[in-house]
């Protein structure tokens, strides 16, 4: 063929194609919003069934969770004044070797436990202050919590900086491969967090009736999802995650038909009547506060009882709140 044209000659067609797809997505999301609201109204009086369907959406192995205390390797890291620190590796029934750092008060009393979850590019060591550079945007959340008179567990998730630690991985591809076999990286890691709770609740130094969880960013995501699934968590603080999930739909936060049933508000409602604190930074560059504010207004409309939930816009960026207000609230609930 002799005919030739400029590379962008047909751009108007491509633009109309792109815009029409975007229009279809917007229309489908509006339909999904209405169906999600109707689904919640139908299911809110049967929350255990609602929770079961949520677990089914996330997939295996969460669908096969049952309580058992997994074997663990426990090695002492340091012992100082009122503090013992252990690295703990658990061998879970599915063959997963899961790891975290346990902070224990030396007085050996049976104390409440708070799981403190790091976020993206983070590690259990970073948020715990093991490095000379400090804790970055975690603002010392592990030791601030420990110093309130509780024991703390900081788990390691598959979201560390692969280049920095020279252990590269591709989380999204691993999630895709898991979703091909009716699983997801979220299902695997929430399952692992539940099994950690099985193990930790068996320790003589942990009061199994008083367990809480806090987390930043990805840690806020896992805090919200784990608290929704595991009713042993009596109080939770989800920092810098809660938002409009249509606007912030990262690939490992998406499951088939999730828009028709489970966005952040619907997941939050599974925590009821246990306490949930949601917080966002007023200068957060990843998840800005305005959409989160609008979502929280909708959340309040979804429930008549507002005593179990609160929402804080704090002075800060994408970081754990420097104020102790929500930590103190969580601790007071656990110590009642």
């Amino acid at each position: 063929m002799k005919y030739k044209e400029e590379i962008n000659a047909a751009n108007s067609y491509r633009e109309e194609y792109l815009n029409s797809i975007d229009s279809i997505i917007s229309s489908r999301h509006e339909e999904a919003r209405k169906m999600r609201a109707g689904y919640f109204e139908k299911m809110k009086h049967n929350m255990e069934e609602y929770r079961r369907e949520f677990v089914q959406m996330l997939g295996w192995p969460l669908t096969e969770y049952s309580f058992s205390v997994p074997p663990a390797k426990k090695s002492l890291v340091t012992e100082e004044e009122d503090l013992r620190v252990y690295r703990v590796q658990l061998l879970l029934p599915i063959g997963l070797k899961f790891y975290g750092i346990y902070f224990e008060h030396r007085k050996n009393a049976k104390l409440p436990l708070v799981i403190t979850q790091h976020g993206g590019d983070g590690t259990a060591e970073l948020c715990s202050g093991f490095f000379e550079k400090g804790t970055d945007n975690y603002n010392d959340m592990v030791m601030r919590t420990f110093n309130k008179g509780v024991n703390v567990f900081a788990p390691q998730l598959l979201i560390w900086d692969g280049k920095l630690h020279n252990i590269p991985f591709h989380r999204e591809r691993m999630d895709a491969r898991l979703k091909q076999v009716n699983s997801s990286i979220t299902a695997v890691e929430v399952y692992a967090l539940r099994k950690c709770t099985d193990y930790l609740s068996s320790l003589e130094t942990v009061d199994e009736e008083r367990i809480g969880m806090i987390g930043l960013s990805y840690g806020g995501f896992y805090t919200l999802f784990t608290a929704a699934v595991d009713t042993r968590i009596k109080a939770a603080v989800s920092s810098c995650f809660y938002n409009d999930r249509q606007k912030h739909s990262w690939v490992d936060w998406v499951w088939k038909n999730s828009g028709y049933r489970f966005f952040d508000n619907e997941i939050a409602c599974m925590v009821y009547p246990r306490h949930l604190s949601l917080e966002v930074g007023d200068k957060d560059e990843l998840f800005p506060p305005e959409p989160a504010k609008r979502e929280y207004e909708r959340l309040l409309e979804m429930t008549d009882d507002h005593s179990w939930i609160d929402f804080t816009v704090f002075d800060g960026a994408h970081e754990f709140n420097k104020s102790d207000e929500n930590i103190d609230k969580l601790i007071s609930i656990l110590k009642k």
Side-chain angles (χ1 to χ4, degrees):
M1 187 177 70
K2 295 180 180 180
Y3 175 78
K4 297 292 183 289
E5 66 181 21
E6 294 295 320
I7 289 175
N8 294 329
N11 267 12
S12 61
Y13 293 96
R14 280 182 278 271
E15 288 177 355
E16 288 183 351
Y17 176 49
L18 171 62
N19 292 338
S20 64
I21 290 178
D22 189 60
S23 178
I24 290 168
I25 292 172
S26 296
S27 176
R28 295 284 288 182
H29 267 284
E30 179 57 25
E31 175 189 339
R33 184 188 65 79
K34 294 175 182 177
M35 292 183 68
R36 191 166 65 247
Y39 184 71
F40 176 75
E41 283 300 314
K42 174 185 173 183
M43 297 296 291
K44 69 180 182 181
H45 300 298
N46 190 359
M47 197 55 71
E48 283 308 309
E49 175 66 15
Y50 195 60
R51 185 175 287 112
R52 188 189 69 80
E53 293 200 11
F54 177 61
V55 165
Q56 288 287 334
M57 182 188 75
L58 298 180
W60 179 93
L62 200 53
T63 51
E64 297 181 6
Y65 165 81
S66 61
F67 176 84
S68 64
V69 179
K73 296 178 181 178
K74 188 177 177 185
S75 58
L76 183 68
V77 176
T78 186
E79 193 167 9
E80 309 168 8
E81 298 181 356
D82 183 39
L83 171 69
R84 290 193 195 97
V85 183
Y86 298 92
R87 280 193 167 93
V88 181
Q89 185 184 57
L90 299 102
L91 179 58
L92 305 187
I94 61 171
L96 183 67
K97 294 180 179 179
F98 196 68
Y99 156 70
I101 303 172
Y102 179 53
F103 297 79
E104 172 182 273
H105 287 268
R106 288 186 64 184
K107 56 187 174 183
N108 293 325
K110 206 174 184 69
L111 297 175
L113 171 78
V114 178
I115 300 167
T116 58
Q117 188 58 68
H118 68 81
D121 286 343
T123 64
E125 290 81 7
L126 175 60
C127 70
S128 300
F130 277 26
F131 307 140
E132 288 296 332
K133 70 173 185 173
T135 62
D136 288 353
N137 60 337
Y138 297 103
N139 294 325
D140 207 24
M141 72 176 189
V142 169
M143 292 311 299
R144 282 167 56 195
T145 304
F146 179 84
N147 290 333
K148 303 288 183 182
V150 299
N151 295 327
V152 170
F153 185 69
Q156 177 66 63
L157 299 180
L158 190 70
I159 42 179
W160 61 80
D161 185 329
K163 291 182 179 179
L164 177 65
H165 295 283
N166 200 28
I167 308 175
F169 62 96
H170 198 298
R171 179 181 170 90
E172 291 77 12
R173 289 178 188 169
M174 296 183 82
D175 184 49
R177 292 173 64 198
L178 284 164
K179 285 174 177 172
Q180 288 175 328
V181 289
N182 194 33
S183 184
S184 66
I185 191 62
T186 299
V188 169
E189 295 193 314
V190 172
Y191 170 86
L193 290 167
R194 295 199 74 183
K195 298 307 295 180
C196 284
T197 306
D198 292 355
Y199 168 76
L200 293 162
S201 64
S202 74
L203 300 179
E204 293 183 357
T205 52
V206 170
D207 186 338
E208 68 276 13
E209 297 296 324
R210 300 181 179 185
I211 298 174
M213 186 170 181
I214 67 176
L216 169 68
S217 191
Y218 258 107
F221 159 68
Y222 276 101
T223 296
L224 180 61
F225 276 52
T226 306
V229 168
D230 199 323
T231 57
R232 291 175 294 183
I233 296 174
K234 302 303 181 187
V237 180
S238 176
S239 184
C240 295
F241 169 75
Y242 173 78
N243 217 286
D244 182 342
R245 208 44 56 197
Q246 181 184 346
K247 295 181 183 295
H248 302 287
S249 51
W250 294 11
V251 294
D252 53 334
W253 297 345
V254 175
W255 300 266
K256 184 179 179 180
N257 290 334
S258 57
Y260 289 99
R261 295 182 294 169
F262 301 106
F263 269 9
D264 289 12
N265 281 342
E266 290 74 29
I267 298 167
C269 284
M270 281 184 270
V271 181
Y272 176 82
R274 297 163 292 134
H275 192 81
L276 176 62
S277 292
L278 302 166
E279 59 179 35
V280 295
D282 62 358
K283 304 175 189 67
D284 193 324
E285 66 282 7
L286 282 181
F287 308 128
E290 292 306 320
K293 291 178 185 177
R294 291 191 292 270
E295 286 303 300
Y296 186 66
E297 291 173 1
R298 294 190 184 101
L299 178 57
L300 294 179
E301 293 172 359
M302 293 169 65
T303 174
D304 296 328
D305 180 4
H306 301 159
S307 62
W308 63 282
I309 186 87
D310 56 60
F311 179 74
T312 304
V313 179
F314 62 87
D315 179 14
H318 192 70
E319 61 184 321
F320 194 77
N321 193 351
K322 294 176 183 176
S323 167
D324 279 0
E325 181 179 358
N326 285 330
I327 295 178
D328 287 341
K329 190 179 300 181
L330 178 143
I331 297 296
S332 68
I333 291 168
L334 296 185
K335 289 187 174 182
K336 282 182 180 177

